[in-house]
Amino acid sequence: AQTVTQSQPEMSVQEAETVTLSCTYDTSESNYYLFWYKQPPSRQMILVIRQEAYKQQNATENRFSVNFQKAAKSFSLKISDSQLGDTAMYFCALGGSEKLVFGKGTKLTVNP
Amino acid sequence: EPEVTQTPSHQVTQMGQEVILRCVPISNHLYFYWYRQILGQKVEFLVSFYNNEISEKSEIFDDQFSVERPDGSNFTLKIRSTKLEDSAMYFCASRELAVETQYFGPGTRLLVL
C-alpha cells in the first residue's frame, strides 16, 4: 500500500522568510510521481509543484522548490520569500498512473 | 488556461435523496477522477475512469456510487441514496494520456441533512 505522511499539522512563518514543509512516503512502485498541492480557504486544490521519481534534479517553480531524497523517501517543499497569499493547507501527494494518495496536510500561516 | 469545472458549487440534500455532481474535464484529457474530502480530513480517492469504464475504485466507492460520461464533455458522480456521512467536498480531476499530473476542479460542497 502507498502511504504519505506529513508530520507537521501546522506551521507559521513571517512574511518574506523561508519555510520548509516535510513529507515522507512509502511505495513499492519503481515509477511514481510526487506532488504538492495548495488548498486555500476557498478549498480549491491547486498544483504547486511536481517531481518525477526518475529525475534526480529537484523541481523548482519560482519561489517553490523541493528537496527530493529518493533513498530516504522524503519530499519536502521549500517556500522562499513567503507571501501572505501562501497561507493555505499544503498537501503532499504520491501518484502513478492511477490514483493520488494524499497526506493529511500542513496548515501554513504566513504572518505579516 | 483550460480548467476543470464543477457544478453545482454547493448542494444541500435530504438523507436518502439522490444527487448528481457534474464535472467538465479539460477537453483533451482522457483520464478522469473523483475524490472527496470530509471537512478537516485528507483528500481520499473514490474512482478513476478511462475509455468509458472504471479503471480503479476505492472501498468508499460502494454500490451507492456510480460514474458516467454521458456525452463528450461531462463526467458525473451519482450518489443514489445519500447518507449523513456523505457530506464532504467532492473534487473532480482530469489528466492527459501521457502526463501524470492531475488537475482539480473547484469542488462541490455536499451537505446531507
Side-chain angles (χ1 to χ4, degrees), chain B residues 51-108:
Chain B
N51 200 25
N52 283 320
E53 60 183 27
I54 291 173
S55 45
E56 186 175 349
K57 60 183 180 180
S58 71
E59 293 176 352
I60 304 168
F61 195 87
D62 61 21
D63 291 344
Q64 293 299 313
F65 292 88
S66 63
V67 289
E68 191 178 36
R69 188 157 164 81
D71 53 43
S73 60
N74 288 284
F75 178 53
T76 63
L77 173 69
K78 182 193 291 186
I79 310 175
R80 288 189 183 81
S81 178
T82 50
K83 305 170 191 159
L84 296 176
E85 54 264 36
D86 292 328
S87 294
M89 191 78 155
Y90 287 81
F91 291 102
C92 174
S94 68
R95 69 171 180 91
E96 295 180 63
L97 179 62
V99 179
E100 301 302 332
T101 302
Q102 295 182 24
Y103 293 91
F104 284 74
T108 293

Side-chain angles (χ1 to χ4, degrees), chain B residues 7 11 15 17-18 29 43 73 96 104 111:
Chain B
T7 54
Q11 179 142 8
M15 189 169 57
Q17 294 295 305
E18 173 183 288
H29 288 190
V43 179
S73 60
E96 295 180 63
F104 284 74
L111 178 61

Side-chain angles (χ1 to χ4, degrees), chain B residues 28-43:
Chain B
N28 63 331
H29 288 190
L30 298 178
Y31 287 86
F32 314 118
Y33 306 84
W34 283 102
Y35 293 83
R36 82 171 184 190
Q37 184 185 31
I38 295 171
L39 186 63
Q41 299 187 22
K42 65 179 178 180
V43 179

